[in-house]
Amino acid sequence: MQPQEQQSSTSTDTNLRDDTQAPRPRDARLNLLSCSLRDLETLVTDLGQPKFRAKQLESWIWDKGVASFADMTNLPKALRSELEAHTTLRTSKPAASLHSSDGSRKYLLRYDDGVSVECVGMPSGNRLAACVSTQAGCAMGCAFCATGASGLTRSLTAGEMVEQVIHVRDDFGTRVTSVVMMGQGEPFVNYDATLAALRRLNDPAGLGIGARHLTVSTCGIIPMITRFSREPEQFTLAVSLHSAVQRTRDALMPGVKRWSLLRLYDAMGEYAERTGRRPTYEYALIRGVNDTDEELTYLCDFCRDTLCHVNLILLNATPGSHFEPSSQRRANDFARRLESVGVETTIRNSRGTDIDAACGQLRQRMG
Ligand code: SAH
Ligand code: SF4
């Protein structure tokens, strides 16, 4: 069988912890949610079936969204049992779910190797956004992040990422209109699987979500930002900045210390030039740490005259952390100053704070 679940990539440049060494999912069956039509054609031909079966299979997986091979009534029984034996359509079970008073719902999904990840559905009018994890845990060790505190368990496969979106869709009973890869994990140390997932989500024969509505958030793995800028699709990029002062950022985000802010600045300039798209900087305001006047001046200098958007958010306090969120008034000060130097800025309201929606918190609580 040719098509393989794409798991992860390593970069010659990054010298990051090689996540191909990390444990794999126990279920080695091919996850059909990660397969393109070409992959499905290879699969059915390998199983001795005519190519047109792939189209039928694709339609069952995506248009009709069935979760069981038994429902694929126009496929021969023999093919259905082969598929049952060698492939899978769902690999996780919901282990917990929490509903927020603002309408968002958070889920903990557990895979059969015991690994669990979080995903969130956030409705707004007739739109529904899904926030997806790309790894179970994370090796980057950001000081303010609940996920970073427990390290990396393993990277997720493309199919496992897509499945989170499908879970959100099925639970809300409506189409997911945008996806942000802002759950647990660092997507750019799991690059190939992340891109494969984005392509399934984007494919009109898959979930058909427009590329601009598919966002990847990275802590700033420079070689992968460069690689991402060369992808043909118009996917959206967000970078977690959190400080434009080198020593502050090094302390908050030790995992990206090796790439200076100057290199980030250059890489983002190149990204904007090459793609013409406006990247977002995520900035979680932490009282007394990155919300001082000096920090604001550096942030304005970093952003002014560049194509970017700054998303300010008040830090989500996590249990056991000594960091506290800044005040709303301070967030307003930041927004006003940034706007005054021509930088497009929003203050993002954290969704689902009553359900531990901040990255990694439900998983931390549930174990
Ligand atoms: N690893 C990627 C994507 C997952 S984290 C990244 O770091 O960008 C998604 C976003 O949540 C990032 O912007 C991250 O910095 C932010 N985040 C993590 N912990 C947070 C907290 N306690 N409060 C506010 N934002 C947080
Ligand atoms: Fe990892 Fe992102 Fe959390 Fe940093 S903020 S530890 S990169 S998930």
Side-chain angles (χ1 to χ4, degrees), residues 320-350:
S321 163
H322 58 279
F323 290 128
E324 289 172 19
S326 310
S327 64
Q328 185 67 46
R329 184 195 277 187
R330 196 62 190 142
N332 296 342
D333 293 343
F334 262 59
R336 218 174 302 117
R337 263 283 289 288
L338 284 160
E339 294 279 2
S340 77
V341 296
V343 179
E344 201 179 86
T345 307
T346 45
I347 302 176
R348 184 155 52 95
N349 289 321
S350 181

Side-chain angles (χ1 to χ4, degrees), residues 14-284:
T14 57
N15 201 23
L16 283 163
R17 176 183 164 149
D18 179 356
D19 70 359
T20 54
Q21 304 298 315
R24 305 289 173 125
R26 193 187 297 154
D27 189 344
R29 287 176 299 172
L30 176 69
N31 188 338
L32 296 186
L33 295 178
S34 66
C35 291
S36 64
L37 181 60
R38 286 240 333 253
D39 296 334
L40 295 178
E41 284 171 355
T42 311
L43 171 68
V44 295
T45 355
D46 282 356
L47 293 173
Q49 292 284 329
K51 235 180 175 180
F52 76 88
R53 294 287 181 211
K55 257 292 186 221
Q56 292 177 311
L57 186 54
E58 184 184 53
S59 161
W60 283 114
I61 299 169
W62 301 104
D63 294 347
K64 303 183 185 86
V66 300
S68 138
F69 295 108
D71 294 334
M72 301 182 175
T73 46
N74 64 354
L75 297 185
K77 258 205 166 127
L79 175 58
R80 280 188 262 157
S81 27
E82 287 277 15
L83 290 171
E84 184 91 56
H86 299 295
T87 70
T88 174
L89 282 166
R90 299 288 184 271
T91 58
S92 65
K93 291 197 175 64
S97 82
L98 293 170
H99 290 205
S100 164
S101 53
D102 68 14
S104 54
R105 297 178 195 168
K106 177 168 208 168
Y107 314 94
L108 187 72
L109 302 183
R110 186 157 283 141
Y111 302 101
D112 85 330
D113 59 352
V115 160
S116 56
V117 296
E118 298 174 5
C119 60
V120 185
M122 295 167 288
S124 169
N126 55 6
R127 287 170 298 148
L128 177 61
C131 177
V132 164
S133 295
T134 55
Q135 299 183 301
C138 183
M140 305 311 291
C142 298
F144 48 84
C145 173
T147 302
S150 43
L152 176 69
T153 308
R154 72 165 167 85
S155 283
L156 299 185
T157 64
E160 287 171 334
M161 292 178 213
V162 173
E163 197 174 327
Q164 294 171 53
V165 181
I166 289 188
H167 187 80
V168 170
R169 177 196 69 185
D170 292 348
D171 193 58
F172 278 87
T174 179
R175 196 173 167 267
V176 170
T177 52
S178 65
V179 174
V180 288
M181 304 257 180
M182 280 196 186
Q184 292 161 263
E186 172 45 50
F188 280 0
V189 296
N190 190 19
Y191 189 90
D192 290 346
T194 299
L195 258 284
L198 289 172
R199 292 194 167 124
R200 296 292 71 242
L201 297 170
N202 179 226
D203 189 341
L207 284 191
I209 303 169
R212 286 159 198 261
H213 301 289
L214 297 170
T215 302
V216 180
S217 175
T218 178
C219 59
I221 313 285
I222 306 283
M224 295 303 160
I225 291 177
T226 307
R227 189 167 161 195
F228 194 67
S229 71
R230 295 184 180 140
E231 301 294 353
E233 295 90 350
Q234 308 248 299
F235 300 131
T236 299
L237 178 66
V239 171
S240 298
L241 183 60
H242 302 313
S243 176
V245 175
Q246 194 68 58
R247 64 173 188 283
T248 312
R249 193 165 193 264
D250 288 351
L252 289 176
M253 306 178 71
V256 283
K257 226 172 165 171
R258 79 196 69 181
W259 296 292
S260 66
L261 280 162
L262 202 60
R263 280 191 71 189
L264 179 64
Y265 184 86
D266 288 344
M268 296 306 281
E270 218 183 290
Y271 171 87
E273 201 166 303
R274 193 182 283 270
T275 64
R277 297 198 298 277
R278 185 186 294 275
T280 296
Y281 290 124
E282 300 290 332
Y283 200 103

